[in-house]
Amino acid sequence: MIKTTSLTVDQLADAWKHIYGTSPADEADPLVLECARRLAADPGGEQARAWVSGLVAMSGYLAWRPGEEAERAALDALSAAVKALGDRPCSHADHPYEAEMDSLEDEVWAGDTGLLTGQLAAQDDDADADRVLCPRNIAGWARLAADVIAPFTVRRVPVGAPKYHDSCMRTLSGIVNDYPYGDPHDDLIDEAAALPTRPTRGVLAGYLVTMNATCWYATSERITDRSVLDAMLKGIEAAVPLLGDERCTHDPDEHPDTADSDHANRIGYLLRSPGGRAEIAESYGWDEEEEEDPEDDPLDAWVCPAFLHDLAEETIAELEDGLESYETAEAEGDEPGGDDGGRA
Ligand SMILES: [Zn+2]
Ligand SMILES: [Zn+2]
């Protein structure tokens, strides 16, 4: 176990760089707890930017399988920083964290926030230090990190999915609306292979929602190659064991309705980024002005493991049915092709 209490900010910053989703808890948790402790002790202070930058740097670990205490401490400290810094007056039209939201690959930020040094690596413009160190920029990063660790618990995240996700949404929307832009076989196989090995809760939920939204198409006569179904089944079977074991806190009717596959496809990508989730929240009428109290809102049902288990089961059953049709067709020597799942 690392002794963290006597380390300087520079030494800690160096240690944060080596914390990933794969880090063992006995290495990562003490660093998270120390960082969260220092942030919580003075969330609006001069050093807050350093501790926020630490929790952002360790968000890949925190979004995967952190110790319970470390996760709680990090979220509490980030929320305290948002409260202390988020409403300080400033004259900036925007802040650097907003531009970085477009490059949040699988939503864990691997780049430099600039919060430690006061500047962004790519820019040494002094005028920018002001915007980088602006309390509202620090609060913005704190919001992003908290929302990646615990989706739908944070308000006032700027709306908008990364551009890359917009193009994925368009591709899948074309498929389920029967106007595919490319070859649906290739696109669905690519989609099935798109899950990272240690996805955040948002990315994992989004993946399973998209798989469900496209499975009827994959089992319809439009798909003539069983490798699509094989790839989708393989992807889902790898994804299900990654679901967490958080208890379902929803009423039976609070789990989302996924019957509209075009809508579900879109949600499936919006779930994969803080800006995308903010868009879902906005469409559900979340009040942007209220910083807290989303507990009563069933929005987090989209990332509920119980909901996602059921959804995955439904998807697997549909795909297995489709595979059976291939096998029957092969046995009878017919042209391969499934039946229409009845949802087109
Ligand atoms: Zn500002
Ligand atoms: Zn639930």
Side-chain angles (χ1 to χ4, degrees), residues 83-313:
K83 265 198 205 97
L85 300 167
D87 291 315
R88 298 256 180 100
C90 91
S91 57
H92 310 123
D94 52 41
H95 295 95
Y97 83 93
E98 292 167 53
E100 307 300 357
M101 288 176 67
D102 213 41
S103 18
L104 279 174
E105 200 175 314
D106 292 326
E107 74 168 350
V108 171
W109 180 243
D112 182 11
T113 57
L115 295 181
L116 267 182
T117 54
Q119 48 184 224
L120 293 169
Q123 301 158 286
D124 14 60
D125 187 350
D126 275 350
D128 251 52
D130 217 39
R131 284 164 66 243
V132 173
L133 298 181
C134 175
R136 290 195 175 209
N137 188 49
I138 303 167
W141 279 111
R143 282 196 190 92
L144 294 188
D147 194 62
V148 167
I149 300 165
F152 295 119
T153 58
V154 179
R155 301 201 174 199
R156 291 168 64 189
V157 170
V159 167
K163 282 193 189 71
Y164 166 70
H165 286 180
D166 281 336
S167 96
C168 295
M169 278 184 245
R170 266 196 305 279
T171 302
L172 293 177
S173 171
I175 290 176
V176 297
N177 285 310
D178 249 347
Y179 288 99
Y181 300 106
D183 182 341
H185 294 80
D186 294 343
D187 289 333
L188 289 175
I189 286 176
D190 286 350
E191 181 59 35
L195 188 72
T197 46
R198 284 179 173 72
T200 62
R201 290 178 66 195
V203 168
L204 179 56
Y207 176 84
L208 288 171
V209 169
T210 311
M211 285 290 112
N212 182 263
T214 50
C215 73
W216 68 266
Y217 186 97
T219 56
S220 74
E221 74 285 352
R222 301 160 184 87
I223 292 295
T224 52
D225 184 342
R226 67 169 281 166
S227 63
V228 175
L229 278 66
D230 287 330
M232 290 176 74
L233 263 178
K234 187 172 159 219
I236 297 164
E237 280 163 359
V240 169
L242 306 180
L243 287 167
D245 50 12
E246 300 91 44
R247 207 170 51 85
C248 172
T249 55
H250 309 109
D251 291 335
D253 61 347
E254 281 182 339
H255 282 170
D257 180 359
T258 54
D260 176 346
S261 56
D262 191 20
H263 177 68
N265 250 328
R266 211 180 137 65
I267 298 267
Y269 264 92
L270 292 177
L271 281 167
R272 304 182 202 198
S273 67
R277 287 190 293 272
E279 198 169 320
I280 300 176
E282 190 183 61
S283 73
Y284 273 62
W286 261 30
D287 185 352
E288 280 298 297
E289 290 312 307
E290 305 223 357
E291 189 73 53
E292 279 193 78
D293 196 29
E295 284 91 2
D296 294 338
D297 212 307
L299 261 186
D300 69 351
W302 280 109
V303 294
C304 169
F307 160 67
L308 294 166
H309 267 289
D310 288 351
L311 193 70
E313 230 167 78

